[in-house]
Amino acid sequence: MIYTITLNPALDHIIETNGFNIGETNYYQKDYEVVGGKGINVSIILNNLNADVMSIGLLGKDNMHPFMDVFNSMKVQNNFLHFEGKTRTNFKIKNLTAKQETEINGLGCPIDEKLLNDLKQYLKSNLKEGDIVIAAGSIPNGVSTSVYKEIGEICNDSKVIYILDTSKQQMVEALESKPFLIKPNIEEICEILKKPYKKYSFDEVFEMIKELRKLGARNILLSKGKDGSIYFQENGSIYQAGIATGKLVNSVGSGDSMVAGFAYGLYKGLDIVNTLQYGAAAGGATAFTRWLASKNEIENLVTTIKVTKK
Protein backbone atom coordinates (compact mmCIF):
# COMPACT_ATOMS: atom_id res chain seq x y z
CA MET A 1 0.00 0.00 0.00
CA ILE A 2 1.08 3.58 -0.68
CA TYR A 3 -0.05 6.28 1.73
CA THR A 4 0.05 9.95 0.77
CA ILE A 5 -0.11 12.61 3.49
CA THR A 6 -1.43 16.13 2.83
CA LEU A 7 -1.43 18.24 5.97
CA ASN A 8 -2.17 21.55 4.22
CA PRO A 9 -4.41 20.97 1.17
CA ALA A 10 -5.99 23.81 -0.78
CA LEU A 11 -8.68 24.70 -3.23
CA ASP A 12 -6.82 26.19 -6.17
CA HIS A 13 -8.82 28.96 -7.85
CA ILE A 14 -7.36 29.40 -11.36
CA ILE A 15 -7.90 32.75 -13.09
CA GLU A 16 -7.00 33.05 -16.79
CA THR A 17 -6.46 36.55 -18.19
CA ASN A 18 -4.86 38.15 -21.23
CA GLY A 19 -3.29 40.88 -19.12
CA PHE A 20 -2.46 41.39 -15.44
CA ASN A 21 -0.96 44.51 -13.88
CA ILE A 22 -0.41 45.03 -10.15
CA GLY A 23 -2.12 48.15 -8.76
CA GLU A 24 -4.72 48.29 -11.55
CA THR A 25 -8.21 46.94 -12.17
CA ASN A 26 -7.80 43.73 -14.17
CA TYR A 27 -10.37 41.67 -16.06
CA TYR A 28 -10.30 37.94 -16.68
CA GLN A 29 -11.80 35.68 -19.31
CA LYS A 30 -12.12 32.41 -17.42
CA ASP A 31 -11.83 30.92 -13.96
CA TYR A 32 -12.24 27.48 -12.39
CA GLU A 33 -11.39 25.58 -9.21
CA VAL A 34 -9.42 22.39 -8.72
CA VAL A 35 -8.56 20.58 -5.51
CA GLY A 36 -4.93 21.02 -4.57
CA GLY A 37 -2.30 19.85 -2.16
CA LYS A 38 0.90 18.07 -3.12
CA GLY A 39 0.01 14.78 -1.44
CA ILE A 40 -3.46 14.78 -2.98
CA ASN A 41 -1.94 15.34 -6.43
CA VAL A 42 0.43 12.44 -5.83
CA SER A 43 -2.42 10.16 -4.77
CA ILE A 44 -4.51 11.01 -7.85
CA ILE A 45 -1.64 10.23 -10.22
CA LEU A 46 -0.92 6.95 -8.41
CA ASN A 47 -4.60 6.08 -8.51
CA ASN A 48 -4.63 6.84 -12.25
CA LEU A 49 -1.75 4.37 -12.59
CA ASN A 50 -3.85 1.75 -10.77
CA ALA A 51 -1.61 1.65 -7.70
CA ASP A 52 -3.08 0.72 -4.31
CA VAL A 53 -3.02 4.17 -2.70
CA MET A 54 -4.67 5.72 0.34
CA SER A 55 -4.86 9.53 0.56
CA ILE A 56 -4.87 10.86 4.14
CA GLY A 57 -4.45 14.22 5.82
CA LEU A 58 -6.49 17.14 7.15
CA LEU A 59 -9.52 18.92 5.65
CA GLY A 60 -11.77 21.75 6.84
CA LYS A 61 -15.39 20.76 7.40
CA ASP A 62 -16.81 23.90 5.80
CA ASN A 63 -15.50 23.26 2.28
CA MET A 64 -14.56 19.59 2.22
CA HIS A 65 -17.14 18.67 -0.43
CA PRO A 66 -15.11 19.56 -3.55
CA PHE A 67 -12.35 17.26 -2.30
CA MET A 68 -14.73 14.44 -1.48
CA ASP A 69 -16.45 14.83 -4.86
CA VAL A 70 -13.11 14.33 -6.61
CA PHE A 71 -12.14 11.37 -4.43
CA ASN A 72 -15.53 9.74 -5.03
CA SER A 73 -15.65 10.40 -8.77
CA MET A 74 -12.08 9.13 -9.30
CA LYS A 75 -12.47 6.31 -6.76
CA VAL A 76 -9.45 7.44 -4.73
CA GLN A 77 -9.31 5.71 -1.33
CA ASN A 78 -9.13 8.36 1.37
CA ASN A 79 -9.29 8.84 5.13
CA PHE A 80 -8.99 12.53 5.98
CA LEU A 81 -9.47 13.97 9.45
CA HIS A 82 -11.71 17.04 9.60
CA PHE A 83 -11.22 20.29 11.50
CA GLU A 84 -13.63 23.16 12.19
CA GLY A 85 -13.40 25.87 9.52
CA LYS A 86 -12.26 25.99 5.91
CA THR A 87 -9.45 24.41 3.97
CA ARG A 88 -7.37 27.27 2.56
CA THR A 89 -7.86 28.70 -0.93
CA ASN A 90 -4.96 29.50 -3.28
CA PHE A 91 -5.36 31.89 -6.21
CA LYS A 92 -3.38 31.24 -9.40
CA ILE A 93 -3.49 34.15 -11.87
CA LYS A 94 -2.40 32.99 -15.32
CA ASN A 95 -1.47 35.82 -17.69
CA LEU A 96 -1.86 33.97 -20.99
CA THR A 97 -0.44 36.79 -23.11
CA ALA A 98 2.76 37.22 -21.10
CA LYS A 99 2.95 33.49 -20.24
CA GLN A 100 3.32 34.39 -16.56
CA GLU A 101 1.69 32.95 -13.45
CA THR A 102 1.19 34.75 -10.14
CA GLU A 103 0.30 32.73 -7.04
CA ILE A 104 -1.42 34.01 -3.90
CA ASN A 105 -1.45 31.13 -1.43
CA GLY A 106 -3.40 30.90 1.81
CA LEU A 107 -1.81 29.94 5.14
CA GLY A 108 -4.74 27.88 6.40
CA CYS A 109 -6.49 27.56 9.77
CA PRO A 110 -4.67 26.66 12.99
CA ILE A 111 -4.87 22.89 13.64
CA ASP A 112 -5.74 21.20 16.92
CA GLU A 113 -2.84 19.06 18.17
CA LYS A 114 -5.29 16.20 18.80
CA LEU A 115 -5.94 15.88 15.05
CA LEU A 116 -2.25 15.46 14.35
CA ASN A 117 -1.96 12.88 17.12
CA ASP A 118 -4.92 11.01 15.63
CA LEU A 119 -3.22 11.00 12.23
CA LYS A 120 0.04 9.69 13.71
CA GLN A 121 -1.89 6.98 15.54
CA TYR A 122 -3.58 6.00 12.27
CA LEU A 123 -0.16 5.51 10.69
CA LYS A 124 1.13 3.49 13.65
CA SER A 125 -1.94 1.24 13.49
CA ASN A 126 -2.02 0.71 9.72
CA LEU A 127 1.50 0.77 8.31
CA LYS A 128 3.02 -2.57 7.35
CA GLU A 129 6.60 -3.40 6.45
CA GLY A 130 7.26 -2.61 2.78
CA ASP A 131 4.57 0.08 2.49
CA ILE A 132 5.42 3.47 0.99
CA VAL A 133 4.57 6.75 2.73
CA ILE A 134 4.74 10.02 0.80
CA ALA A 135 4.48 13.20 2.86
CA ALA A 136 4.26 16.26 0.66
CA GLY A 137 3.64 19.97 0.85
CA SER A 138 3.67 22.74 3.41
CA ILE A 139 2.41 22.47 6.97
CA PRO A 140 -0.66 24.26 8.38
CA ASN A 141 -0.51 27.45 10.37
CA GLY A 142 0.70 26.80 13.91
CA VAL A 143 1.80 23.18 13.39
CA SER A 144 5.24 22.27 14.75
CA THR A 145 8.02 22.15 12.14
CA SER A 146 9.01 18.79 13.63
CA VAL A 147 5.86 17.08 12.31
CA TYR A 148 7.49 15.48 9.25
CA LYS A 149 10.39 14.27 11.40
CA GLU A 150 7.89 12.62 13.74
CA ILE A 151 6.13 10.97 10.79
CA GLY A 152 9.52 9.80 9.51
CA GLU A 153 10.29 8.17 12.85
CA ILE A 154 6.96 6.32 12.71
CA CYS A 155 7.90 5.14 9.21
CA ASN A 156 11.28 3.93 10.46
CA ASP A 157 9.66 2.02 13.32
CA SER A 158 7.24 0.41 10.84
CA LYS A 159 10.03 -0.38 8.31
CA VAL A 160 8.37 1.43 5.45
CA ILE A 161 9.79 3.62 2.67
CA TYR A 162 9.48 7.33 3.50
CA ILE A 163 9.42 9.85 0.65
CA LEU A 164 9.40 13.51 1.61
CA ASP A 165 8.66 16.48 -0.65
CA THR A 166 8.66 19.69 1.38
CA SER A 167 10.96 22.61 2.14
CA LYS A 168 12.02 25.16 4.75
CA GLN A 169 12.56 24.31 8.42
CA GLN A 170 10.26 21.28 8.36
CA MET A 171 12.56 19.69 5.75
CA VAL A 172 15.70 20.50 7.75
CA GLU A 173 14.28 18.83 10.85
CA ALA A 174 12.78 15.90 8.94
CA LEU A 175 16.16 14.99 7.44
CA GLU A 176 17.09 13.68 10.89
CA SER A 177 14.65 10.82 10.28
CA LYS A 178 16.68 9.83 7.20
CA PRO A 179 13.93 9.78 4.54
CA PHE A 180 14.45 7.36 1.67
CA LEU A 181 13.93 10.08 -0.96
CA ILE A 182 13.71 13.86 -1.16
CA LYS A 183 13.03 15.87 -4.34
CA PRO A 184 14.44 19.38 -3.99
CA ASN A 185 15.44 21.90 -6.62
CA ILE A 186 18.59 23.99 -6.37
CA GLU A 187 16.79 26.88 -4.66
CA GLU A 188 15.44 24.55 -1.98
CA ILE A 189 18.85 22.97 -1.43
CA CYS A 190 20.36 26.43 -0.98
CA GLU A 191 17.62 27.23 1.54
CA ILE A 192 18.34 24.05 3.52
CA LEU A 193 22.10 24.61 3.52
CA LYS A 194 21.86 28.39 3.97
CA LYS A 195 23.78 29.07 0.77
CA PRO A 196 23.17 31.89 -1.75
CA TYR A 197 20.82 30.94 -4.59
CA LYS A 198 22.77 31.16 -7.84
CA LYS A 199 24.01 28.97 -10.67
CA TYR A 200 26.33 26.21 -9.45
CA SER A 201 28.59 23.82 -11.35
CA PHE A 202 27.96 20.09 -11.15
CA ASP A 203 30.96 19.65 -8.83
CA GLU A 204 29.60 22.33 -6.51
CA VAL A 205 26.16 20.70 -6.54
CA PHE A 206 27.75 17.35 -5.75
CA GLU A 207 29.41 18.85 -2.67
CA MET A 208 26.00 20.15 -1.61
CA ILE A 209 24.54 16.67 -2.05
CA LYS A 210 27.22 15.37 0.32
CA GLU A 211 26.14 17.97 2.88
CA LEU A 212 22.51 16.88 2.53
CA ARG A 213 23.57 13.30 3.17
CA LYS A 214 25.34 14.35 6.35
CA LEU A 215 22.03 15.86 7.47
CA GLY A 216 20.23 12.57 6.81
CA ALA A 217 19.15 12.52 3.17
CA ARG A 218 19.60 9.14 1.51
CA ASN A 219 18.50 9.33 -2.12
CA ILE A 220 18.14 12.77 -3.71
CA LEU A 221 16.18 13.48 -6.90
CA LEU A 222 17.34 16.94 -7.95
CA SER A 223 14.66 18.63 -10.03
CA LYS A 224 16.08 20.92 -12.73
CA GLY A 225 12.90 21.94 -14.56
CA LYS A 226 13.40 22.10 -18.32
CA ASP A 227 16.85 20.51 -17.86
CA GLY A 228 15.39 17.31 -16.43
CA SER A 229 16.60 15.83 -13.17
CA ILE A 230 19.64 14.22 -11.59
CA TYR A 231 19.26 11.25 -9.26
CA PHE A 232 21.93 10.81 -6.59
CA GLN A 233 21.50 7.24 -5.40
CA GLU A 234 22.39 6.11 -1.91
CA ASN A 235 24.94 3.62 -3.28
CA GLY A 236 26.89 6.42 -5.01
CA SER A 237 25.45 6.01 -8.51
CA ILE A 238 24.31 9.12 -10.38
CA TYR A 239 21.71 9.19 -13.15
CA GLN A 240 20.66 12.00 -15.48
CA ALA A 241 17.01 11.87 -16.56
CA GLY A 242 15.75 13.90 -19.50
CA ILE A 243 12.33 15.43 -20.03
CA ALA A 244 9.33 14.58 -22.14
CA THR A 245 8.59 16.56 -25.30
CA GLY A 246 5.25 18.29 -25.65
CA LYS A 247 3.31 21.55 -25.40
CA LEU A 248 3.23 23.12 -21.95
CA VAL A 249 -0.36 23.64 -20.78
CA ASN A 250 -0.13 23.86 -16.99
CA SER A 251 2.97 23.26 -14.87
CA VAL A 252 1.04 23.06 -11.57
CA GLY A 253 1.30 19.53 -10.20
CA SER A 254 4.11 18.38 -12.49
CA GLY A 255 6.59 18.08 -9.63
CA ASP A 256 4.05 16.13 -7.59
CA SER A 257 3.46 13.89 -10.59
CA MET A 258 7.21 13.22 -10.82
CA VAL A 259 7.19 12.05 -7.20
CA ALA A 260 4.17 9.86 -7.95
CA GLY A 261 5.81 8.33 -11.02
CA PHE A 262 8.97 7.55 -9.05
CA ALA A 263 6.95 6.03 -6.21
CA TYR A 264 5.05 3.93 -8.76
CA GLY A 265 8.36 2.51 -9.96
CA LEU A 266 9.25 1.52 -6.40
CA TYR A 267 5.77 0.08 -5.86
CA LYS A 268 6.08 -2.06 -9.00
CA GLY A 269 9.66 -3.12 -8.24
CA LEU A 270 11.04 -1.55 -11.43
CA ASP A 271 14.75 -0.95 -11.93
CA ILE A 272 16.07 2.55 -11.30
CA VAL A 273 16.17 3.53 -14.98
CA ASN A 274 12.53 2.60 -15.56
CA THR A 275 11.59 4.22 -12.24
CA LEU A 276 13.19 7.50 -13.30
CA GLN A 277 11.46 7.23 -16.68
CA TYR A 278 8.09 6.93 -14.97
CA GLY A 279 8.90 9.94 -12.80
CA ALA A 280 9.86 12.15 -15.74
CA ALA A 281 6.99 10.85 -17.90
CA ALA A 282 4.41 11.57 -15.19
CA GLY A 283 5.80 15.06 -14.62
CA GLY A 284 5.79 15.81 -18.34
CA ALA A 285 2.36 14.34 -19.01
CA THR A 286 0.81 16.51 -16.30
CA ALA A 287 2.55 19.62 -17.67
CA PHE A 288 0.99 18.86 -21.06
CA THR A 289 -2.57 18.63 -19.76
CA ARG A 290 -4.99 20.95 -17.96
CA TRP A 291 -4.79 19.18 -14.60
CA LEU A 292 -3.27 15.78 -13.72
CA ALA A 293 -2.24 13.18 -16.28
CA SER A 294 -4.01 9.92 -17.05
CA LYS A 295 -2.38 6.49 -17.16
CA ASN A 296 -2.29 6.49 -20.97
CA GLU A 297 -0.81 10.00 -21.14
CA ILE A 298 1.98 8.94 -18.78
CA GLU A 299 2.74 5.56 -20.30
CA ASN A 300 2.85 7.00 -23.83
CA LEU A 301 5.85 9.06 -22.71
CA VAL A 302 7.78 6.54 -20.59
CA THR A 303 9.96 5.10 -23.37
CA THR A 304 10.72 8.58 -24.73
CA ILE A 305 12.59 9.56 -21.56
CA LYS A 306 16.36 9.24 -21.86
CA VAL A 307 18.16 8.15 -18.68
CA THR A 308 21.95 7.93 -18.59
CA LYS A 309 24.32 6.90 -15.83
CA LYS A 310 26.94 9.57 -15.15
Side-chain angles (χ1 to χ4, degrees):
M1 172 73 83
I2 304 174
Y3 294 87
T4 69
I5 301 173
T6 313
L7 297 180
N8 203 22
L11 279 173
D12 286 343
H13 193 111
I14 315 297
I15 298 170
E16 294 183 353
T17 176
N18 286 324
F20 176 71
N21 297 302
I22 294 174
E24 298 181 10
T25 299
N26 295 273
Y27 296 90
Y28 62 90
Q29 287 71 41
K30 187 177 183 180
D31 73 314
Y32 55 93
E33 277 190 343
V34 296
V35 301
K38 295 175 75 64
I40 290 174
N41 291 342
V42 171
S43 66
I44 290 171
I45 289 289
L46 285 166
N47 187 69
N48 289 349
L49 287 168
N50 299 327
D52 189 12
V53 58
M54 173 70 72
S55 188
I56 66 173
L58 309 175
L59 282 176
K61 290 180 180 179
D62 291 353
N63 59 350
M64 58 182 278
H65 299 295
F67 295 91
M68 302 312 298
D69 289 345
V70 168
F71 293 147
N72 292 336
S73 67
M74 303 188 79
K75 295 181 172 58
V76 177
Q77 298 180 83
N78 62 91
N79 191 4
F80 276 75
L81 301 176
H82 302 134
F83 58 86
E84 299 294 336
K86 289 184 176 182
T87 300
R88 66 192 177 121
T89 297
N90 295 336
F91 295 91
K92 318 281 186 179
I93 304 170
K94 299 170 72 71
N95 186 339
L96 304 179
T97 301
K99 297 182 179 178
Q100 293 176 333
E101 185 170 291
T102 301
E103 297 190 13
I104 306 172
N105 291 346
L107 291 175
C109 297
I111 300 298
D112 189 328
E113 186 70 22
K114 181 182 183 303
L115 271 185
L116 291 173
N117 290 336
D118 288 346
L119 186 142
K120 293 170 196 172
Q121 187 56 52
Y122 173 86
L123 291 172
K124 291 176 183 177
S125 300
N126 288 276
L127 292 181
K128 295 180 176 59
E129 185 173 351
D131 285 343
I132 299 172
V133 171
I134 305 167
S138 60
I139 59 176
N141 192 19
V143 169
S144 170
T145 52
S146 66
V147 63
Y148 284 141
K149 174 187 173 183
E150 293 164 16
I151 290 172
E153 290 167 347
I154 294 169
C155 291
N156 292 338
D157 291 341
S158 302
K159 299 180 180 178
V160 305
I161 294 171
Y162 185 38
I163 296 174
L164 181 61
D165 186 16
T166 189
S167 58
K168 301 180 180 177
Q169 183 61 25
Q170 60 263 25
M171 171 63 93
V172 175
E173 294 183 38
L175 288 176
E176 295 179 31
S177 68
K178 297 180 171 54
F180 176 83
L181 177 76
I182 61 173
K183 185 200 68 67
N185 55 32
I186 288 292
E187 185 175 5
E188 289 166 336
I189 290 177
C190 290
E191 184 178 54
I192 293 168
L193 300 178
K194 295 181 171 55
K195 293 181 180 292
Y197 175 48
K198 62 176 185 175
K199 187 173 182 179
Y200 288 95
S201 68
F202 177 81
D203 288 343
E204 289 172 321
V205 170
F206 189 54
E207 290 303 312
M208 292 160 75
I209 295 298
K210 290 180 182 177
E211 291 185 56
L212 287 176
R213 286 206 167 115
K214 288 178 182 177
L215 293 175
R218 292 171 57 191
N219 298 286
I220 298 113
L221 181 59
L222 172 60
S223 176
K224 300 186 70 182
K226 63 181 178 58
D227 295 320
S229 59
I230 304 177
Y231 183 59
F232 297 88
Q233 198 168 18
E234 190 173 13
N235 64 10
S237 300
I238 302 172
Y239 294 85
Q240 173 79 51
I243 61 170
T245 302
K247 181 182 177 182
L248 177 63
V249 175
N250 180 20
S251 63
V252 175
S254 59
D256 308 331
S257 298
M258 176 185 280
V259 170
F262 190 99
Y264 179 75
L266 295 178
Y267 169 78
K268 297 294 288 186
L270 305 180
D271 63 39
I272 188 57
V273 170
N274 207 198
T275 296
L276 289 168
Q277 285 179 314
Y278 261 95
T286 284
F288 305 151
T289 191
R290 184 175 170 182
W291 188 36
L292 296 170
S294 67
K295 179 181 175 71
N296 286 342
E297 288 168 332
I298 294 169
E299 295 196 330
N300 285 341
L301 294 176
V302 169
T303 58
T304 71
I305 305 297
K306 184 178 180 182
V307 177
T308 55
K309 190 171 183 180
K310 293 177 71 72

